[in-house]
Amino acid sequence: MKFRCGCFNLYLVAMLATMQIACETTGPGGAQKGSPDLATVRVHLETHADPIAGTSRLITVGREQPQSMYVSGAMLGEPNLAAAQLWDGNEGQFAILLQFDRDGTRTLETLSMSYRGKRLAILSQFPEPRWIGTFRMDRRIADGAILFRPDATREEAVRIVSGLNKAVAKLKKYKE
């Protein structure tokens, strides 16, 4: 049986060129790690410890009153986000509202119906990554909104919300 090395090398070169192009998607114009004006958000689902398969990891949320929990991979992120708002409560209290788009709303509704009583852990990068809060899914969430009190100062919360809204606007521009 004869093997055509030329054909194989052509496929190899095409694959390497594709990988090189894919690695350049976050160039100078894209959102880069540590960008001071953008923020990211990842919503992870609480799960049980799974040391054999390694699909979960132990995290600690909160600095003053730390909560430990096992989480799986990210279920929602800023591509699913429609907007973020800072809500003021009583004196010195505030919360962050994350409003998701149609796909995010559908995902959140499915998670809240399937995993009632579980928590969602929220990770944000603004510019350093940090677990900023949890949200317990006690009921069906059909409106696609999560309102939580972040483990952050008010200045950090303002920076998170403005960075998320800038990231959403940038993603909308690239989708069009």
Side-chain angles (χ1 to χ4, degrees):
M1 182 170 157
K2 293 185 177 182
F3 185 72
R4 296 180 55 185
C5 292
C7 186
F8 173 74
N9 287 338
L10 184 62
Y11 289 135
L12 180 65
V13 169
M15 183 181 70
L16 289 174
T18 304
M19 289 174 58
Q20 181 66 25
I21 291 170
C23 291
E24 293 293 324
T25 56
T26 55
Q32 296 180 359
K33 182 180 177 187
S35 180
D37 60 338
L38 297 179
T40 64
V41 67
R42 298 290 186 274
V43 179
H44 296 257
L45 179 65
E46 179 182 25
T47 187
H48 59 281
D50 190 8
I52 296 171
T55 58
S56 64
R57 62 182 174 151
L58 181 65
I59 63 161
T60 302
V61 181
R63 293 178 285 185
E64 292 180 13
Q65 298 174 347
Q67 302 175 22
S68 294
M69 60 192 284
Y70 285 93
V71 295
S72 61
M75 301 293 173
L76 296 167
E78 65 276 355
N80 307 110
L81 196 63
Q85 294 178 356
L86 185 66
W87 281 25
D88 288 316
N90 294 335
E91 186 175 329
Q93 294 182 349
F94 56 91
I96 294 177
L97 175 74
L98 300 177
Q99 181 65 52
F100 293 97
D101 62 4
R102 187 179 66 208
D103 292 333
T105 299
R106 194 174 313 135
T107 301
L108 188 59
E109 184 176 12
T110 303
L111 288 173
S112 66
M113 289 188 310
S114 300
Y115 300 101
R116 183 168 289 177
K118 294 279 188 179
R119 293 178 291 178
L120 297 173
I122 302 161
L123 174 73
S124 183
Q125 181 173 337
F126 58 101
E128 67 282 346
R130 191 170 87 206
W131 295 99
I132 61 169
T134 61
F135 179 82
R136 183 171 300 279
M137 297 183 292
D138 291 332
R139 59 176 176 78
R140 176 177 162 235
I141 305 169
D143 61 352
I146 296 176
L147 181 66
F148 69 98
R149 291 184 56 189
D151 179 40
T153 63
R154 181 167 179 78
E155 292 78 26
E156 290 174 334
V158 168
R159 192 168 55 178
I160 291 168
V161 168
S162 68
L164 286 174
N165 286 326
K166 288 177 185 176
V168 167
K170 197 170 227 182
L171 285 170
K172 281 183 183 177
K173 186 178 101 174
Y174 287 123
K175 286 181 182 178
E176 294 174 350

